[in-house]
Amino acid sequence: MLHGDGTNRWYDKSFNLIIAKDGTAAVHFEHAWGDGVAVLRFFNEVFKDSTQAPAITPQSQPASTDSSAAVQKLSFKLNDALKTGIIAAKEKFDATMKTLTIDCIQFQRGGKEFLKKQKLSPDSVAQLAFQMAFLRQYGQTVATYESCSTAAFKHGRTETIRPASIFTKRCSEAFVREPSKHSAGELKQMMAECSRYHGQLTKEAAMGQGFDRHLFALRYLTAAKGIALPELYLDPAYGQINHNILSTSTLTSPAVNIGGFAPVVPDGFGVGYAVHDNWIGCNVSSYTSRNSREFLQCVQKALEDMFDAMEGKSIKT
């Protein structure tokens, strides 16, 4: 659904409605014009209408149209330059797609219901799992991006939540590097700190109080007015925080089975996830420099560890 063989995906269009032979359907959309919230609204409307008032049922009679007369084949006259261009584009597409891997897990021990009983933000637990997983796999904390809708505002698009914090770093290191040094109670307390801070960041982002869009707008205006870039934008830290190795996004709906996207940088992960009532789903993509299967095994381990801590059990090393 993400790329197919490239021959019937129209990447210049707002979205593609893809329907497979077996009736499986997907919306594939280009991200510049709009965000998941808008597409999900469309998704939900189509799902509701097509399930509650389907235009065609198994009992429907076939239309009396003679398709051989109604449908006309178009023959494209291509010159050699166009043919060469198409072949080159197809080869480049195939080569790129060969380097992309997509994999997913379903964590069945619990979801929203259990986490809310533990007084933890379900989203913060999922994000903490990604921090722990990356630390376990690569031994470091990296720039992490989580999209947050600002649709409460007219023309609002998104703001960034920055899920990697001093709190998640401290908590991840405790779980991954020295779990035996901490009691289950201490680990739970660290998780609660992460949850509180993540909740604060989420509220700020949703109310347009993040820093990413603000700095981006100033940078854009600087370039548009031909002013020299302020020093801040030349700082290596600014470059690093905008090279989002962990790009994450979540949306849930009864109309959606699974969602996902490619990484936003060559050495990154694209992490689509959803915390459902009683399970957590995670769909990860990567190119050749990262191992998405191994990352998912580390996400699974992180979730197991956190659930063990919440249930008062010791962490298995």
Side-chain angles (χ1 to χ4, degrees):
M1 295 306 190
L2 183 62
H3 54 76
D5 67 0
T7 58
N8 65 348
R9 297 287 189 280
W10 308 95
Y11 296 107
D12 58 331
K13 299 290 181 268
S14 300
F15 65 86
N16 292 261
L17 185 58
I18 302 165
I19 302 172
K21 271 184 183 165
D22 67 355
T24 309
V27 169
H28 173 292
F29 76 100
E30 190 285 312
H31 220 324
W33 66 270
D35 305 304
V37 173
V39 178
L40 191 69
R41 167 72 190 272
F42 169 70
F43 228 119
N44 289 340
E45 297 287 347
V46 171
F47 184 74
K48 186 177 158 193
D49 193 60
S50 60
T51 51
Q52 291 179 8
I56 294 174
T57 68
Q59 287 74 44
S60 303
Q61 292 303 308
S64 55
T65 314
D66 174 11
S67 58
S68 64
V71 179
Q72 185 190 352
K73 184 175 179 179
L74 298 177
S75 298
F76 291 91
K77 293 192 172 74
L78 302 176
N79 61 26
D80 289 346
L82 279 171
K83 285 178 185 167
T84 309
I86 290 168
I87 290 166
K90 181 77 176 106
E91 283 172 356
K92 189 182 177 191
F93 183 89
D94 290 342
T96 307
M97 288 312 104
K98 274 200 181 83
T99 67
L100 182 77
T101 309
I102 303 175
D103 212 336
C104 62
I105 56 163
Q106 290 183 329
F107 177 80
Q108 301 286 1
R109 263 175 80 178
K112 253 188 224 146
E113 287 178 8
F114 176 74
L115 295 171
K116 282 181 176 169
K117 276 184 193 142
Q118 297 287 321
K119 297 193 168 49
L120 291 172
S121 140
D123 190 59
S124 78
V125 172
Q127 287 290 342
L128 189 50
F130 307 147
Q131 293 300 315
M132 288 182 192
F134 199 91
L135 182 70
R136 184 180 297 279
Q137 191 178 9
Y138 296 106
Q140 63 183 137
T141 298
V142 289
T144 308
Y145 177 103
E146 178 182 359
S147 56
C148 176
S149 174
T150 48
F153 297 94
K154 187 176 184 180
H155 301 313
R157 292 286 304 262
T158 59
E159 179 52 275
T160 309
I161 298 168
R162 291 291 180 177
S165 66
I166 50 170
F167 299 104
T168 61
K169 190 169 187 282
R170 192 186 306 150
C171 187
S172 299
E173 283 174 351
F175 269 89
V176 173
R177 294 194 170 142
E178 41 186 34
S180 54
K181 285 189 187 170
H182 303 276
S183 68
E186 286 168 345
L187 293 172
K188 265 168 84 170
Q189 203 174 338
M190 283 187 219
M191 286 171 65
E193 272 175 4
C194 292
S195 176
R196 269 195 299 277
Y197 187 64
H198 188 76
Q200 181 192 328
L201 290 181
T202 304
K203 279 196 193 86
E204 285 171 4
M207 288 288 96
Q209 298 294 313
F211 66 85
D212 282 86
R213 300 296 174 268
H214 181 76
L215 290 176
F216 172 76
L218 291 174
R219 182 184 183 170
Y220 181 86
L221 289 170
T222 302
K225 288 180 164 47
I227 309 166
L229 261 188
E231 238 171 81
L232 171 74
Y233 296 108
L234 305 170
D235 193 296
Y238 186 80
Q240 210 167 340
I241 202 166
N242 286 296
H243 185 88
N244 288 296
I245 288 172
L246 284 172
S247 178
T248 73
S249 186
T250 183
L251 277 180
T252 51
S253 158
V256 179
N257 179 23
I258 195 167
F261 47 92
V264 297
V265 290
D267 58 341
F269 286 116
V271 183
Y273 66 101
V275 184
H276 300 277
D277 287 343
N278 295 299
W279 62 282
I280 300 168
C282 190
N283 189 21
V284 174
S285 64
S286 65
Y287 294 110
T288 42
S289 67
R290 299 282 181 198
N291 184 334
S292 45
R293 179 75 243 149
E294 192 179 82
F295 178 73
L296 280 168
Q297 288 168 347
C298 294
V299 170
Q300 178 86 27
K301 166 76 174 138
L303 290 168
E304 297 283 0
D305 287 353
M306 284 191 277
F307 272 67
D308 282 345
M310 285 183 274
E311 290 168 1
K313 299 172 187 162
S314 59
I315 307 300
K316 299 175 194 74
T317 49

